[in-house]
């Protein structure tokens, strides 16, 4: 298993700072994952109060984004890190940006939950949204786990998972188009769900981004934009 | 006019490096703007070859993203910049990420162009897409101009413009929903255009992001996530 040794500085204080900021990213990630799960549950149980809470909590996610970014800059300015430490700062900076956007999706799903009142057929679409939602929640969980351990193999596993999310998404989309064509009055409501499904699919892309930052951090190699068939070769 | 003095180092070599990387961001931005304009023109003129070229050129955009990012890290590691220089590196790092995503939208619009064959009513929707497209192209142009001059006032002007883009987008969306409800056979094709319109609206958000990085770079203040009503107060 390829991971990164993260405790190796002469200055114990610097180690503490790095450990601290990594923990904050994981806490932010945990919050975002919870937000997403709560938003999906709010739809399933038609729980408006819970959906409102998700929308409210998004402020905390944004605050994490600002705080972690500021600390990254402070560490770079004060410690002048090189090599893997500098890569870690860059990776954290990019990861929080993606986590913040995933938080925005949770907020959007919560909005769909607040619209409430779906008929029987529409509830089937909501069930598909829920299934895709759980899929990307698990992906987010796994990539945060890979981040915690700076585990390249686990990160690459998440990277590959995105293809499955894309396939599931395409299936739901086809289902929705058929439904809209059969019952045109449903179009506005189905579109509402469709935007949410689209945003969930984008979470898969963001988890893929985070897995790329992990690889960059540990191996020093930037695999963004590389075709997936070439990634193994790049990492040799 | 509030701008940043960017030529002030004892090391002339460092000045050259900063100037060089700023120029690359502007070149990348110019390429992305051109890609977007070409993609919109390809739809308007039903020019499949030109659309194909846009899709091909996206590789160049991605390469800029990788190259500029790598140089940013090298400069941070080698020059250990502080204060405004470090903020410039962070701002560049974030700006290229947004430019790369705008490049992806151009690619997506080019795909719509390649689908071709729209009926008369659908061409009206394409005209709306084109109008929104030109609006965000101008916004991108203006924010790149603000970046070139590190001009906070110009950046804030772009920041405010996003509201207009949002309103234009909402109008087009309503138009599309009505059209789909009137003619359900058109749904798959209209959805294709709708995704593109949605992506254009997101370009407005990304230009807004870039304007926030400019403010951060010049003023050292992070206005992300701040309600627009509070921004003036934050910058006092």
């Amino acid at each position: 298993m390829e991971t990164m040794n993260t405790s190796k500085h002469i200055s114990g204080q610097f180690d503490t700072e790095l450990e601290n900021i990594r923990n904050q990213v994981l806490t932010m990630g945990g919050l975002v994952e919870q937000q997403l799960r709560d938003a999906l549950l709010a739809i399933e149980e038609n729980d408006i109060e819970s959906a409102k809470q998700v929308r409210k909590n998004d402020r905390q996610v944004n605050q994490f984004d600002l705080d972690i970014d500021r600390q990254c800059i402070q560490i770079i300015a004060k410690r002048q890190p090189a090599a893997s430490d500098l890569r870690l700062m860059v990776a954290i900076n990019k990861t929080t940006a993606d986590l913040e956007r995933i938080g925005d999706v949770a907020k959007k799903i919560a909005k769909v939950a607040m619209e409430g009142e779906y008929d029987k057929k529409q509830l089937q679409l909501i069930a598909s949204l829920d299934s895709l939602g759980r899929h990307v929640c698990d992906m987010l969980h796994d990539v945060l786990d890979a981040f915690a351990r700076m585990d390249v193999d686990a990160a690459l596993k998440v990277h590959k998972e995105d293809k499955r999310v894309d396939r599931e998404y395409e299936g739901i989309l086809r289902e929705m188009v058929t439904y809209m064509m059969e019952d045109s009055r449903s179009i506005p409501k189905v579109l509402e769900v469709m935007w949410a499904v689209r945003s969930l699919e984008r979470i898969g892309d963001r988890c893929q981004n985070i897995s790329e930052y992990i690889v960059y951090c540990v191996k020093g190699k930037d695999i963004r934009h590389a075709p997936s068939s070439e990634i193994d070769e790049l990492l040799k």
Side-chain angles (χ1 to χ4, degrees), chain A:
Chain A
M1 190 177 74
E2 199 146 11
T3 60
M4 194 166 85
N5 177 8
T6 51
S7 185
K8 58 184 182 324
H9 299 98
I10 295 167
S11 158
Q13 179 63 27
F14 186 17
D15 281 338
T16 311
E17 283 170 15
L18 289 184
E19 193 54 32
N20 186 13
I21 199 165
R22 276 162 53 100
N23 283 338
Q24 283 178 67
V25 176
L26 292 172
T27 309
M28 178 184 184
L31 172 62
V32 168
E33 190 190 331
Q34 194 55 51
Q35 284 276 90
L36 203 51
R37 292 196 192 273
D38 287 349
L40 291 166
L41 202 65
I43 289 197
E44 202 186 314
E45 302 189 342
N46 196 15
D47 182 345
I48 309 282
E49 279 314 306
S50 173
K52 276 186 190 161
Q53 192 57 43
V54 169
R55 290 183 70 78
K56 218 167 148 188
N57 289 350
D58 190 53
R59 273 188 229 149
Q60 280 179 50
V61 176
N62 292 345
Q63 197 55 50
F64 265 116
D65 184 27
L66 296 174
D67 289 347
I68 295 172
D69 251 28
R70 200 185 54 242
Q71 289 172 63
C72 268
I73 310 289
Q74 279 170 352
I75 290 179
I76 295 175
K78 189 168 130 199
R79 300 290 180 180
Q80 303 175 338
S84 68
D85 293 331
L86 180 53
R87 291 202 304 272
L88 177 64
M89 291 301 107
V90 175
I92 286 178
N93 197 272
K94 288 180 185 278
T95 298
T96 51
D98 278 300
L99 288 176
E100 191 272 323
R101 303 283 159 82
I102 298 177
D104 286 342
V105 177
K107 206 175 146 186
K108 198 177 290 177
I109 308 279
K111 192 169 165 258
V112 176
M114 285 164 74
E115 304 282 321
E117 301 288 322
Y118 293 96
D119 67 24
K120 201 178 156 198
K121 176 72 189 171
Q122 285 166 355
L123 282 174
Q124 275 179 35
L125 297 181
I126 297 279
S128 301
L129 172 141
D130 196 52
S131 155
L132 182 67
R134 280 168 209 279
H135 194 165
V136 296
C137 264
D138 291 344
M139 216 173 144
L140 176 59
H141 186 88
D142 290 346
V143 84
L144 289 170
D145 199 46
F147 184 93
R149 294 180 287 121
M150 279 293 150
D151 181 339
V152 168
D153 294 339
L156 289 174
K157 216 174 139 196
V158 173
H159 201 273
K160 282 179 187 137
E161 189 62 26
D162 190 44
K163 264 197 187 150
R164 275 199 208 126
V165 168
D166 288 348
R167 273 202 297 268
E168 190 175 343
Y169 165 71
E170 294 294 342
I172 298 174
L173 213 60
R174 272 194 302 273
E175 195 185 350
M176 289 184 161
V177 171
T178 309
Y179 179 40
M180 284 195 287
M181 288 176 85
E182 281 168 3
D183 175 12
S184 62
R185 285 163 312 156
S186 73
I187 291 175
K189 209 134 206 177
V190 176
L191 276 180
E192 205 53 54
V193 181
M194 201 181 243
W195 294 134
V197 168
R198 174 83 162 190
S199 306
L200 286 175
E201 183 270 331
R202 291 284 298 135
I203 292 184
D205 298 337
R206 294 193 181 281
C207 290
Q208 203 174 36
N209 293 346
I210 296 175
S211 72
E212 288 169 359
Y213 311 145
I214 295 169
V215 171
Y216 169 72
C217 197
V218 179
K219 306 272 279 184
K221 287 192 180 161
D222 197 341
I223 60 168
R224 289 178 301 160
H225 312 310
S228 51
S229 57
E230 288 173 21
I231 289 177
D232 287 344
E233 191 61 32
L234 266 171
L235 293 180
K236 260 181 194 163

